[in-house]
Amino acid sequence: MTLKISAEQARRLVLSLQGLADPPRRRLTTDGVVDLIERLGFLQVDSISTVERAHHMILFARNQTYRPDLLRRALEVEARLFEHWTYDVAAILPTRFYPYWKLRFERERHAVERRFRRWHGDAHQDELGRVLDLVRAQGPIMARELAQARARPAGGWWDWHLGKTALEFLWRTGRLAIARRHGFQKVYDLAERVIPEAVRQHEPDHDALVDWACRAALERLGLASASEIARLFGLVTIEEAKVWCERNRGRAAVPAVVTAANGAPPRKLLARPDLEQLLASSPEPPARLRVLSPFDPLLRDRARLERLFAFDYRIEVFVPAGRRTYGYYVFPLLEGDRLVGRLDMRAERAAGVLQVNALWMEPRRRLTPARARRLDAELERIRRFVGLDVVRFADRYLKRDG
């Protein structure tokens, strides 16, 4: 039997699976942070800090009691999380996922090595051994410390760019791990000194990897195509995901037809086998208005976002200023189960100001007095979260009221 799912049902399901239907005031602990990242699958890390870095904004949008030290403890002290790459982004992941990333290390080793050799030729291989020996002997290191080593008599062979790429290669292929960050700079150490031994010793085979990656992706997506399943973690190919879907159709993957909110034709997808129970038990999302990071996982798949939420969103960081539709770093606004607007704001830390430059409401959405109060309350929460003194609005900051 093929399940028929409306766009509204799919939105509620996605928000529930994403932690955006949880009570936002429930006290969050380190356990809660790890559990939330487990539910999401991963937490994207990004260097831009217009208001606060993306990983902190993503967690804060789901729980207003979140504080960055909770993530730091889980990642750097308790080693319950680790940093690496998913399909297309640097991310923080549950440490229990690490055995599956070990297979990714091996699969990527030759491809990454070919790329690095093109950059540095034969010097690349010698540099790997030197960097690895240095970390083994001296402990955790940042890339900038390799530049300092060039001035030491015993370290005249160091080349800043070559050393940095060696560190990245050794991390990407699993010999090193990220022990912590200093500011936003990675601090690298031997993987065996960062990742717990019990996790490192687990050796799943390729079939186990494919089965876990596809099941784990569908569990978190709720509804998905084979390509969407493959792209969530980036551990398997689309062809491997297609084979898994066919083998598990009707059992771990149930056929479903999902309507679209933007007028597009319905899509044939696969669903979790417990989808009907999930739909029946999914809570209604909080009515409050929330600011989402541009890198929030809800927004990651732009085509899926547009189908389910009728929200066309692009990050314009790399778009020349004169060609941007909205702005450099614009935050979507989530209200209940709909995306209702976009906000251009930034933290002016020297002045202690959360500066709100522009607001765009979506078509057929207006900035009513009630919605304005909800927005003010959210901005005040963010102001306190990032440690600023006041929220300040630009003159005539409302650009469009639909």
Side-chain angles (χ1 to χ4, degrees), residues 198-236:
V199 178
R200 288 187 293 103
Q201 296 305 318
H202 183 42
E203 298 281 354
D205 61 23
H206 181 263
D207 289 344
L209 166 68
V210 173
D211 186 63
W212 178 85
C214 293
R215 287 177 188 272
L218 187 56
E219 180 181 341
R220 286 158 179 81
L221 292 169
L223 296 152
S225 66
S227 62
E228 289 167 347
I229 287 171
R231 288 198 305 267
L232 184 70
F233 293 120
L235 295 175
V236 300

mmCIF file of all heavy atoms in Angstrom, residues 198-236:
data_model
loop_
_atom_site.group_PDB
_atom_site.id
_atom_site.type_symbol
_atom_site.label_atom_id
_atom_site.label_comp_id
_atom_site.label_asym_id
_atom_site.label_seq_id
_atom_site.Cartn_x
_atom_site.Cartn_y
_atom_site.Cartn_z
ATOM 1 N N ALA A 198 37.177 2.019 22.240
ATOM 2 C CA ALA A 198 36.094 1.080 21.931
ATOM 3 C C ALA A 198 35.415 1.423 20.613
ATOM 4 O O ALA A 198 34.999 0.530 19.860
ATOM 5 C CB ALA A 198 35.066 1.081 23.069
ATOM 6 N N VAL A 199 35.312 2.705 20.317
ATOM 7 C CA VAL A 199 34.703 3.139 19.058
ATOM 8 C C VAL A 199 35.662 2.897 17.897
ATOM 9 O O VAL A 199 35.270 2.413 16.832
ATOM 10 C CB VAL A 199 34.307 4.627 19.132
ATOM 11 C CG1 VAL A 199 33.718 5.096 17.811
ATOM 12 C CG2 VAL A 199 33.316 4.865 20.265
ATOM 13 N N ARG A 200 36.928 3.220 18.097
ATOM 14 C CA ARG A 200 37.910 3.051 17.022
ATOM 15 C C ARG A 200 38.096 1.589 16.635
ATOM 16 O O ARG A 200 38.385 1.279 15.484
ATOM 17 C CB ARG A 200 39.259 3.643 17.446
ATOM 18 C CG ARG A 200 39.293 5.148 17.489
ATOM 19 C CD ARG A 200 40.700 5.687 17.742
ATOM 20 N NE ARG A 200 41.191 5.360 19.065
ATOM 21 C CZ ARG A 200 42.073 4.416 19.350
ATOM 22 N NH1 ARG A 200 42.565 3.667 18.363
ATOM 23 N NH2 ARG A 200 42.468 4.194 20.585
ATOM 24 N N GLN A 201 37.910 0.695 17.594
ATOM 25 C CA GLN A 201 38.149 -0.725 17.310
ATOM 26 C C GLN A 201 36.997 -1.381 16.556
ATOM 27 O O GLN A 201 37.167 -2.472 16.006
ATOM 28 C CB GLN A 201 38.394 -1.486 18.625
ATOM 29 C CG GLN A 201 39.644 -1.052 19.372
ATOM 30 C CD GLN A 201 40.894 -1.135 18.512
ATOM 31 O OE1 GLN A 201 41.099 -2.093 17.771
ATOM 32 N NE2 GLN A 201 41.735 -0.110 18.591
ATOM 33 N N HIS A 202 35.845 -0.757 16.525
ATOM 34 C CA HIS A 202 34.701 -1.348 15.823
ATOM 35 C C HIS A 202 34.940 -1.261 14.321
ATOM 36 O O HIS A 202 35.275 -0.203 13.795
ATOM 37 C CB HIS A 202 33.420 -0.618 16.209
ATOM 38 C CG HIS A 202 32.187 -1.195 15.600
ATOM 39 N ND1 HIS A 202 31.954 -2.545 15.500
ATOM 40 C CD2 HIS A 202 31.100 -0.595 15.039
ATOM 41 C CE1 HIS A 202 30.788 -2.755 14.911
ATOM 42 N NE2 HIS A 202 30.257 -1.587 14.618
ATOM 43 N N GLU A 203 34.764 -2.377 13.603
ATOM 44 C CA GLU A 203 35.082 -2.438 12.177
ATOM 45 C C GLU A 203 33.890 -2.972 11.371
ATOM 46 O O GLU A 203 33.857 -4.144 11.002
ATOM 47 C CB GLU A 203 36.307 -3.341 11.943
ATOM 48 C CG GLU A 203 37.590 -2.878 12.606
ATOM 49 C CD GLU A 203 38.261 -1.758 11.826
ATOM 50 O OE1 GLU A 203 37.772 -1.434 10.724
ATOM 51 O OE2 GLU A 203 39.270 -1.226 12.319
ATOM 52 N N PRO A 204 32.896 -2.158 11.059
ATOM 53 C CA PRO A 204 31.789 -2.621 10.220
ATOM 54 C C PRO A 204 32.271 -2.872 8.794
ATOM 55 O O PRO A 204 33.186 -2.198 8.312
ATOM 56 C CB PRO A 204 30.797 -1.455 10.271
ATOM 57 C CG PRO A 204 31.644 -0.256 10.557
ATOM 58 C CD PRO A 204 32.773 -0.731 11.422
ATOM 59 N N ASP A 205 31.659 -3.849 8.121
ATOM 60 C CA ASP A 205 32.029 -4.078 6.729
ATOM 61 C C ASP A 205 31.196 -3.177 5.819
ATOM 62 O O ASP A 205 30.336 -2.417 6.281
ATOM 63 C CB ASP A 205 31.882 -5.552 6.348
ATOM 64 C CG ASP A 205 30.453 -6.080 6.494
ATOM 65 O OD1 ASP A 205 29.495 -5.271 6.458
ATOM 66 O OD2 ASP A 205 30.288 -7.301 6.647
ATOM 67 N N HIS A 206 31.441 -3.277 4.508
ATOM 68 C CA HIS A 206 30.797 -2.362 3.573
ATOM 69 C C HIS A 206 29.281 -2.533 3.569
ATOM 70 O O HIS A 206 28.536 -1.545 3.517
ATOM 71 C CB HIS A 206 31.349 -2.569 2.166
ATOM 72 C CG HIS A 206 30.757 -1.643 1.154
ATOM 73 N ND1 HIS A 206 29.710 -2.011 0.332
ATOM 74 C CD2 HIS A 206 31.023 -0.338 0.872
ATOM 75 C CE1 HIS A 206 29.379 -0.985 -0.438
ATOM 76 N NE2 HIS A 206 30.158 0.039 -0.129
ATOM 77 N N ASP A 207 28.796 -3.766 3.617
ATOM 78 C CA ASP A 207 27.348 -3.990 3.618
ATOM 79 C C ASP A 207 26.703 -3.382 4.860
ATOM 80 O O ASP A 207 25.604 -2.815 4.782
ATOM 81 C CB ASP A 207 27.041 -5.485 3.541
ATOM 82 C CG ASP A 207 27.362 -6.076 2.174
ATOM 83 O OD1 ASP A 207 27.533 -5.297 1.218
ATOM 84 O OD2 ASP A 207 27.450 -7.312 2.073
ATOM 85 N N ALA A 208 27.390 -3.510 5.999
ATOM 86 C CA ALA A 208 26.862 -2.918 7.238
ATOM 87 C C ALA A 208 26.835 -1.398 7.136
ATOM 88 O O ALA A 208 25.912 -0.744 7.634
ATOM 89 C CB ALA A 208 27.706 -3.361 8.426
ATOM 90 N N LEU A 209 27.862 -0.823 6.485
ATOM 91 C CA LEU A 209 27.892 0.626 6.282
ATOM 92 C C LEU A 209 26.695 1.085 5.460
ATOM 93 O O LEU A 209 25.994 2.033 5.835
ATOM 94 C CB LEU A 209 29.181 1.034 5.573
ATOM 95 C CG LEU A 209 29.213 2.457 4.986
ATOM 96 C CD1 LEU A 209 29.209 3.493 6.096
ATOM 97 C CD2 LEU A 209 30.393 2.654 4.059
ATOM 98 N N VAL A 210 26.438 0.415 4.335
ATOM 99 C CA VAL A 210 25.331 0.817 3.468
ATOM 100 C C VAL A 210 24.010 0.709 4.207
ATOM 101 O O VAL A 210 23.168 1.629 4.154
ATOM 102 C CB VAL A 210 25.318 -0.024 2.174
ATOM 103 C CG1 VAL A 210 24.058 0.272 1.359
ATOM 104 C CG2 VAL A 210 26.564 0.254 1.345
ATOM 105 N N ASP A 211 23.822 -0.386 4.914
ATOM 106 C CA ASP A 211 22.555 -0.578 5.625
ATOM 107 C C ASP A 211 22.382 0.471 6.711
ATOM 108 O O ASP A 211 21.310 1.077 6.834
ATOM 109 C CB ASP A 211 22.509 -1.983 6.231
ATOM 110 C CG ASP A 211 21.150 -2.288 6.847
ATOM 111 O OD1 ASP A 211 20.151 -2.324 6.108
ATOM 112 O OD2 ASP A 211 21.087 -2.479 8.081
ATOM 113 N N TRP A 212 23.432 0.724 7.482
ATOM 114 C CA TRP A 212 23.313 1.722 8.549
ATOM 115 C C TRP A 212 23.078 3.107 7.970
ATOM 116 O O TRP A 212 22.204 3.845 8.451
ATOM 117 C CB TRP A 212 24.579 1.748 9.408
ATOM 118 C CG TRP A 212 24.497 2.805 10.469
ATOM 119 C CD1 TRP A 212 23.928 2.687 11.702
ATOM 120 C CD2 TRP A 212 24.939 4.171 10.351
ATOM 121 N NE1 TRP A 212 24.005 3.886 12.378
ATOM 122 C CE2 TRP A 212 24.612 4.805 11.575
ATOM 123 C CE3 TRP A 212 25.572 4.893 9.349
ATOM 124 C CZ2 TRP A 212 24.904 6.155 11.806
ATOM 125 C CZ3 TRP A 212 25.864 6.243 9.581
ATOM 126 C CH2 TRP A 212 25.533 6.855 10.799
ATOM 127 N N ALA A 213 23.866 3.496 6.961
ATOM 128 C CA ALA A 213 23.764 4.849 6.414
ATOM 129 C C ALA A 213 22.378 5.118 5.848
ATOM 130 O O ALA A 213 21.817 6.202 6.039
ATOM 131 C CB ALA A 213 24.835 5.061 5.342
ATOM 132 N N CYS A 214 21.801 4.140 5.146
ATOM 133 C CA CYS A 214 20.479 4.339 4.547
ATOM 134 C C CYS A 214 19.379 4.339 5.598
ATOM 135 O O CYS A 214 18.478 5.182 5.563
ATOM 136 C CB CYS A 214 20.223 3.264 3.484
ATOM 137 S SG CYS A 214 21.301 3.402 2.032
ATOM 138 N N ARG A 215 19.448 3.411 6.545
ATOM 139 C CA ARG A 215 18.443 3.383 7.616
ATOM 140 C C ARG A 215 18.510 4.648 8.460
ATOM 141 O O ARG A 215 17.478 5.248 8.802
ATOM 142 C CB ARG A 215 18.644 2.151 8.509
ATOM 143 C CG ARG A 215 18.226 0.839 7.877
ATOM 144 C CD ARG A 215 18.519 -0.334 8.794
ATOM 145 N NE ARG A 215 18.286 -1.584 8.117
ATOM 146 C CZ ARG A 215 17.118 -2.221 8.072
ATOM 147 N NH1 ARG A 215 16.068 -1.693 8.711
ATOM 148 N NH2 ARG A 215 16.989 -3.353 7.427
ATOM 149 N N ALA A 216 19.728 5.050 8.828
ATOM 150 C CA ALA A 216 19.888 6.231 9.674
ATOM 151 C C ALA A 216 19.419 7.487 8.956
ATOM 152 O O ALA A 216 18.809 8.377 9.569
ATOM 153 C CB ALA A 216 21.350 6.373 10.094
ATOM 154 N N ALA A 217 19.678 7.577 7.655
ATOM 155 C CA ALA A 217 19.243 8.757 6.903
ATOM 156 C C ALA A 217 17.726 8.808 6.793
ATOM 157 O O ALA A 217 17.109 9.859 7.028
ATOM 158 C CB ALA A 217 19.877 8.745 5.511
ATOM 159 N N LEU A 218 17.093 7.688 6.455
ATOM 160 C CA LEU A 218 15.633 7.678 6.310
ATOM 161 C C LEU A 218 14.958 7.921 7.657
ATOM 162 O O LEU A 218 13.923 8.595 7.730
ATOM 163 C CB LEU A 218 15.170 6.359 5.697
ATOM 164 C CG LEU A 218 13.687 6.276 5.345
ATOM 165 C CD1 LEU A 218 13.258 7.402 4.412
ATOM 166 C CD2 LEU A 218 13.364 4.915 4.712
ATOM 167 N N GLU A 219 15.555 7.412 8.721
ATOM 168 C CA GLU A 219 15.001 7.663 10.058
ATOM 169 C C GLU A 219 14.959 9.149 10.364
ATOM 170 O O GLU A 219 13.989 9.649 10.953
ATOM 171 C CB GLU A 219 15.853 6.937 11.100
ATOM 172 C CG GLU A 219 15.379 7.124 12.527
ATOM 173 C CD GLU A 219 16.266 6.407 13.531
ATOM 174 O OE1 GLU A 219 17.006 5.489 13.128
ATOM 175 O OE2 GLU A 219 16.210 6.778 14.722
ATOM 176 N N ARG A 220 15.977 9.886 9.939
ATOM 177 C CA ARG A 220 16.051 11.311 10.241
ATOM 178 C C ARG A 220 15.286 12.174 9.247
ATOM 179 O O ARG A 220 14.787 13.233 9.599
ATOM 180 C CB ARG A 220 17.520 11.738 10.318
ATOM 181 C CG ARG A 220 18.171 11.236 11.594
ATOM 182 C CD ARG A 220 19.674 11.128 11.535
ATOM 183 N NE ARG A 220 20.169 10.655 12.831
ATOM 184 C CZ ARG A 220 20.167 9.383 13.201
ATOM 185 N NH1 ARG A 220 19.723 8.431 12.382
ATOM 186 N NH2 ARG A 220 20.613 9.039 14.412
ATOM 187 N N LEU A 221 15.193 11.731 8.003
ATOM 188 C CA LEU A 221 14.468 12.492 6.995
ATOM 189 C C LEU A 221 12.969 12.226 7.051
ATOM 190 O O LEU A 221 12.170 13.090 6.690
ATOM 191 C CB LEU A 221 15.008 12.149 5.603
ATOM 192 C CG LEU A 221 16.436 12.608 5.314
ATOM 193 C CD1 LEU A 221 16.944 11.968 4.023
ATOM 194 C CD2 LEU A 221 16.520 14.118 5.227
ATOM 195 N N GLY A 222 12.574 11.034 7.447
ATOM 196 C CA GLY A 222 11.155 10.672 7.496
ATOM 197 C C GLY A 222 10.625 10.255 6.147
ATOM 198 O O GLY A 222 10.037 9.185 5.994
ATOM 199 N N LEU A 223 10.805 11.097 5.155
ATOM 200 C CA LEU A 223 10.381 10.864 3.770
ATOM 201 C C LEU A 223 11.538 11.276 2.870
ATOM 202 O O LEU A 223 12.089 12.364 3.038
ATOM 203 C CB LEU A 223 9.156 11.711 3.429
ATOM 204 C CG LEU A 223 7.868 11.435 4.188
ATOM 205 C CD1 LEU A 223 7.031 12.697 4.265
ATOM 206 C CD2 LEU A 223 7.096 10.325 3.494
ATOM 207 N N ALA A 224 11.885 10.431 1.881
ATOM 208 C CA ALA A 224 13.051 10.783 1.063
ATOM 209 C C ALA A 224 13.121 9.932 -0.191
ATOM 210 O O ALA A 224 12.540 8.844 -0.262
ATOM 211 C CB ALA A 224 14.339 10.598 1.870
ATOM 212 N N SER A 225 13.859 10.447 -1.164
ATOM 213 C CA SER A 225 14.240 9.672 -2.348
ATOM 214 C C SER A 225 15.578 8.991 -2.066
ATOM 215 O O SER A 225 16.257 9.299 -1.078
ATOM 216 C CB SER A 225 14.370 10.591 -3.556
ATOM 217 O OG SER A 225 15.450 11.487 -3.365
ATOM 218 N N ALA A 226 15.979 8.094 -2.960
ATOM 219 C CA ALA A 226 17.266 7.424 -2.792
ATOM 220 C C ALA A 226 18.410 8.428 -2.805
ATOM 221 O O ALA A 226 19.369 8.320 -2.021
ATOM 222 C CB ALA A 226 17.460 6.379 -3.884
ATOM 223 N N SER A 227 18.337 9.438 -3.676
ATOM 224 C CA SER A 227 19.421 10.425 -3.736
ATOM 225 C C SER A 227 19.463 11.268 -2.458
ATOM 226 O O SER A 227 20.549 11.612 -1.972
ATOM 227 C CB SER A 227 19.272 11.321 -4.965
ATOM 228 O OG SER A 227 18.058 12.049 -4.919
ATOM 229 N N GLU A 228 18.307 11.595 -1.894
ATOM 230 C CA GLU A 228 18.285 12.349 -0.638
ATOM 231 C C GLU A 228 18.854 11.511 0.504
ATOM 232 O O GLU A 228 19.539 12.037 1.387
ATOM 233 C CB GLU A 228 16.855 12.802 -0.329
ATOM 234 C CG GLU A 228 16.360 13.895 -1.268
ATOM 235 C CD GLU A 228 14.863 14.125 -1.190
ATOM 236 O OE1 GLU A 228 14.147 13.282 -0.587
ATOM 237 O OE2 GLU A 228 14.403 15.133 -1.740
ATOM 238 N N ILE A 229 18.572 10.229 0.498
ATOM 239 C CA ILE A 229 19.133 9.322 1.508
ATOM 240 C C ILE A 229 20.651 9.297 1.396
ATOM 241 O O ILE A 229 21.366 9.405 2.396
ATOM 242 C CB ILE A 229 18.532 7.912 1.340
ATOM 243 C CG1 ILE A 229 17.077 7.900 1.822
ATOM 244 C CG2 ILE A 229 19.354 6.868 2.092
ATOM 245 C CD1 ILE A 229 16.325 6.624 1.504
ATOM 246 N N ALA A 230 21.168 9.170 0.171
ATOM 247 C CA ALA A 230 22.620 9.102 -0.029
ATOM 248 C C ALA A 230 23.301 10.400 0.381
ATOM 249 O O ALA A 230 24.405 10.386 0.948
ATOM 250 C CB ALA A 230 22.926 8.771 -1.482
ATOM 251 N N ARG A 231 22.666 11.547 0.110
ATOM 252 C CA ARG A 231 23.310 12.837 0.337
ATOM 253 C C ARG A 231 23.312 13.277 1.793
ATOM 254 O O ARG A 231 24.086 14.174 2.143
ATOM 255 C CB ARG A 231 22.634 13.926 -0.504
ATOM 256 C CG ARG A 231 22.924 13.841 -1.992
ATOM 257 C CD ARG A 231 22.604 15.169 -2.672
ATOM 258 N NE ARG A 231 21.238 15.596 -2.418
ATOM 259 C CZ ARG A 231 20.203 15.328 -3.202
ATOM 260 N NH1 ARG A 231 20.380 14.610 -4.298
ATOM 261 N NH2 ARG A 231 18.993 15.764 -2.906
ATOM 262 N N LEU A 232 22.487 12.687 2.634
ATOM 263 C CA LEU A 232 22.434 13.190 4.007
ATOM 264 C C LEU A 232 23.807 13.083 4.676
ATOM 265 O O LEU A 232 24.320 14.064 5.220
ATOM 266 C CB LEU A 232 21.384 12.451 4.834
ATOM 267 C CG LEU A 232 21.236 13.021 6.253
ATOM 268 C CD1 LEU A 232 20.583 14.393 6.210
ATOM 269 C CD2 LEU A 232 20.461 12.092 7.156
ATOM 270 N N PHE A 233 24.394 11.893 4.660
ATOM 271 C CA PHE A 233 25.700 11.701 5.286
ATOM 272 C C PHE A 233 26.847 11.691 4.278
ATOM 273 O O PHE A 233 27.990 11.949 4.650
ATOM 274 C CB PHE A 233 25.726 10.389 6.073
ATOM 275 C CG PHE A 233 24.831 10.377 7.277
ATOM 276 C CD1 PHE A 233 23.814 9.453 7.397
ATOM 277 C CD2 PHE A 233 25.009 11.291 8.305
ATOM 278 C CE1 PHE A 233 22.993 9.426 8.510
ATOM 279 C CE2 PHE A 233 24.190 11.284 9.423
ATOM 280 C CZ PHE A 233 23.174 10.352 9.527
ATOM 281 N N GLY A 234 26.556 11.350 3.031
ATOM 282 C CA GLY A 234 27.628 11.265 2.041
ATOM 283 C C GLY A 234 28.515 10.052 2.205
ATOM 284 O O GLY A 234 29.664 10.051 1.758
ATOM 285 N N LEU A 235 28.006 8.995 2.836
ATOM 286 C CA LEU A 235 28.795 7.784 3.061
ATOM 287 C C LEU A 235 28.608 6.743 1.960
ATOM 288 O O LEU A 235 29.444 5.851 1.803
ATOM 289 C CB LEU A 235 28.412 7.148 4.405
ATOM 290 C CG LEU A 235 28.731 7.967 5.666
ATOM 291 C CD1 LEU A 235 28.183 7.258 6.895
ATOM 292 C CD2 LEU A 235 30.224 8.200 5.805
ATOM 293 N N VAL A 236 27.489 6.822 1.236
ATOM 294 C CA VAL A 236 27.193 5.845 0.188
ATOM 295 C C VAL A 236 26.868 6.578 -1.101
ATOM 296 O O VAL A 236 26.520 7.765 -1.093
ATOM 297 C CB VAL A 236 26.012 4.918 0.590
ATOM 298 C CG1 VAL A 236 26.340 4.143 1.855
ATOM 299 C CG2 VAL A 236 24.720 5.717 0.773
#
